[in-house]
Amino acid sequence: MNVVILAAGMGKRMRSALPKVLHPLAGKPLLSHVIDTARALSPSTLCVIYGHGGDMVPELLQATDLAFARQEPQLGTGHAVLQALPYLNDDTPTLVLYGDVPLTTAASLRRLLDIASGNKLSVLTVDLDKPDGYGRIVREQGKIVRIVEQKDATETERAICEVNTGILIAPTVKLKQWLTTLSNDNAQREYYLTDIVARAVADGVPVVSAQPDHVWETLGVNSKVQLAELERIHQRNIADALLEQGATLADPARIDVRGALLCGRDVSIDVGCVFEGKVELADNVTIGAHCVIKNALIASGAHIKPFCHIEDAVVGAGSMIGPYARLRPGTELAEDVHIGNFVEVKNSRIAAHSKANHLAYVGDATVGMRVNIGAGTITCNYDGVNKFRTVIEDDAFIGSDSQLVAPVRVGKGATLGAGTTLTTDAPAGKLTVSRARQTTIDGWKRPTKQATSPKK
């Protein structure tokens, strides 16, 4: 089938220079949600109609399976679909979607496809208690005969609660014919796609309808308020799915998933957490409050304490992270590693049972097993131009407030005394100390504040 996605609108009520369809929902553009749903239907043609914002839409959404057609000027939905005609295959039906309606499910669209078989015109409708602003479905003897926009509707027609969502499937050959006959003789002086319903009735083409599983599937975004409302709906849907899978959420209303979150058994997530990209939490993982985790694998039994930031990192089984720890890209922690408060790890591998419990920076390092990294320790990995690597072998003990100036190696079982600045390799099994000798000055007196003369 052909899929056409209308994404040319200006979105004046968004109060933004960014095209409406590029505003993010759950971390990705509204239009990307629609494209992903369309792809789930395996279309033979996927054409995006863009306009407002110039080439921002095709530049951002480059993909080999997408065709783009520009609508300039924007003269209505019928005029928009007209721009896609060169890309449409006559032998398959055409599905029309909207780039600012991000939550429509593939299941509801498949239902619409099923009833469209046999060259019918199939429209997705929904019943609303307050249908203001929507086109009304006008029926005679139960059959759809036309769709009337609110601005053109009579008082009787405005009382109709079944409304048009705009989503429809049409036989492509007929669709092309109908689009060429549209008129803009209406209140908005636009070419309405909905007018093809009357054309279909006149041609004897059956007009049928289906309804989605949920009303929110048909809600569009025209303002930041509506965008925020859909964000909460979407996040609650994700939260409910996680709960059904067995995860424990301290408050389902206070979680944000901006990508894919996979949870094993007995996972617990506290409030205010944000998950971005692809995050996998294995069995018995605990995530404390207000953590931000992006593109990470957290192995079984790991405990992430509150206020941690983890990005492009792997946390081993049974490890304990935080609070207030930061794991940057390239971090790989083995099992039972402890990274404590105000510790930052970047592009480093830390082997099993090692720990850096507070106030440390471990960057571009390879750390062995059972290593203790004391408070205030840093690996000095950058000379202003190049990055260098630090190696700390098994069972080493790094005293507090040490600086390891890379490239440097700490041998197996070595100990660095507190305050050491290490610039050459520390031999295995020995104590290395680098600091000034402590002295006491006899007869020294602390300075006192001298009296000042009063101002004249």
Side-chain angles (χ1 to χ4, degrees), residues 415-427:
T415 297
L416 299 189
T420 293
T421 299
L422 192 71
T423 57
T424 59
D425 292 354

Side-chain angles (χ1 to χ4, degrees), residues 141-205:
Q141 297 180 340
K143 295 182 178 180
I144 298 174
V145 293
R146 62 191 177 91
I147 299 174
V148 59
E149 297 299 326
Q150 166 132 346
K151 291 184 178 180
D152 303 303
T154 65
E155 287 298 321
T156 300
E157 291 168 340
R158 289 182 183 180
I160 297 172
C161 291
E162 185 184 13
V163 302
N164 173 45
T165 68
I167 296 171
L168 58 81
I169 298 173
T172 301
V173 173
K174 286 291 187 180
L175 176 65
K176 290 181 177 181
Q177 295 173 358
W178 297 331
L179 289 174
T180 60
T181 68
L182 296 182
S183 167
N184 66 347
D185 185 16
N186 52 59
Q188 299 191 84
R189 308 303 296 173
E190 291 184 352
Y191 296 92
Y192 295 149
L193 178 62
T194 50
D195 286 348
I196 69 171
V197 171
R199 305 292 194 279
V201 171
D203 286 350
V205 174

Side-chain angles (χ1 to χ4, degrees), residues 207-219:
V207 181
V208 294
S209 66
Q211 294 212 334
D213 293 319
H214 309 279
V215 172
W216 48 256
E217 294 185 48
T218 68
L219 299 179

Side-chain angles (χ1 to χ4, degrees), residues 292 304 306-311 313 315 321-329 331 333 339-347 360-362:
V292 178
I304 312 300
F307 297 100
C308 290
H309 284 219
I310 300 174
E311 179 179 359
V315 176
I321 312 299
Y324 294 99
R326 184 183 183 195
L327 306 183
R328 291 172 56 193
T331 295
L333 309 181
I339 302 297
N341 49 281
F342 304 104
V343 175
E344 180 179 352
V345 183
K346 187 270 292 186
N347 191 30
Y361 171 67
V362 181

Side-chain angles (χ1 to χ4, degrees), residues 248 261 266-275 279-311 313-328 331-343 345:
T248 298
L261 175 59
D266 298 310
V267 167
S268 178
I269 301 173
D270 210 332
V271 300
C273 293
V274 177
F275 300 92
V279 176
E280 184 172 348
L281 308 179
D283 295 350
N284 298 296
V285 166
T286 299
I287 308 295
H290 305 293
C291 291
V292 178
I293 303 178
K294 180 178 181 179
N295 296 325
L297 171 61
I298 314 296
S300 61
H303 184 184
I304 312 300
K305 295 183 179 181
F307 297 100
C308 290
H309 284 219
I310 300 174
E311 179 179 359
V314 176
V315 176
S319 292
M320 188 172 296
I321 312 299
Y324 294 99
R326 184 183 183 195
L327 306 183
R328 291 172 56 193
T331 295
E332 295 182 18
L333 309 181
E335 66 181 42
D336 187 36
V337 170
H338 291 197
I339 302 297
N341 49 281
F342 304 104
V343 175
V345 183

Side-chain angles (χ1 to χ4, degrees), residues 52-256:
H52 179 67
D55 294 328
M56 291 178 66
V57 170
E59 287 173 356
L60 182 67
L61 300 173
Q62 294 180 14
T64 56
D65 65 333
L66 297 179
F68 292 93
R70 184 162 184 166
Q71 184 191 19
E72 190 64 44
Q74 285 94 53
L75 302 178
T77 52
H79 178 257
V81 178
L82 196 63
Q83 313 311 306
L85 295 193
Y87 300 96
L88 304 185
N89 181 353
D90 289 350
D91 297 329
T92 59
T94 295
L95 168 65
V96 178
L97 301 174
Y98 294 81
D100 60 354
V101 182
L103 301 185
T104 312
T105 65
S108 293
L109 294 178
R110 289 192 184 99
R111 186 179 308 122
L112 191 66
L113 279 166
D114 290 343
I115 67 167
S117 60
N119 285 331
K120 301 183 185 72
L121 174 60
S122 178
V123 297
L124 193 69
T125 70
V126 66
D127 292 318
L128 298 178
D129 293 334
K130 296 180 180 180
D132 292 347
Y134 288 86
R136 308 305 203 274
I137 302 297
V138 180
R139 295 177 181 267
E140 293 180 1
Q141 297 180 340
K143 295 182 178 180
I144 298 174
V145 293
R146 62 191 177 91
I147 299 174
V148 59
E149 297 299 326
Q150 166 132 346
K151 291 184 178 180
D152 303 303
T154 65
E155 287 298 321
T156 300
E157 291 168 340
R158 289 182 183 180
I160 297 172
C161 291
E162 185 184 13
V163 302
N164 173 45
T165 68
I167 296 171
L168 58 81
I169 298 173
T172 301
V173 173
K174 286 291 187 180
L175 176 65
K176 290 181 177 181
Q177 295 173 358
W178 297 331
L179 289 174
T180 60
T181 68
L182 296 182
S183 167
N184 66 347
D185 185 16
N186 52 59
Q188 299 191 84
R189 308 303 296 173
E190 291 184 352
Y191 296 92
Y192 295 149
L193 178 62
T194 50
D195 286 348
I196 69 171
V197 171
R199 305 292 194 279
V201 171
D203 286 350
V205 174
V207 181
V208 294
S209 66
Q211 294 212 334
D213 293 319
H214 309 279
V215 172
W216 48 256
E217 294 185 48
T218 68
L219 299 179
V221 172
N222 292 299
S223 68
K224 294 290 180 64
V225 171
Q226 292 175 340
L227 179 61
E229 290 171 348
L230 286 195
E231 180 76 42
R232 285 302 97 208
I233 290 171
H234 183 59
Q235 293 298 339
R236 185 56 198 244
N237 291 340
I238 293 173
D240 288 346
L242 292 172
L243 292 168
E244 292 291 341
Q245 294 162 16
T248 298
L249 306 181
D251 185 350
R254 288 188 285 173
I255 183 174
D256 283 89

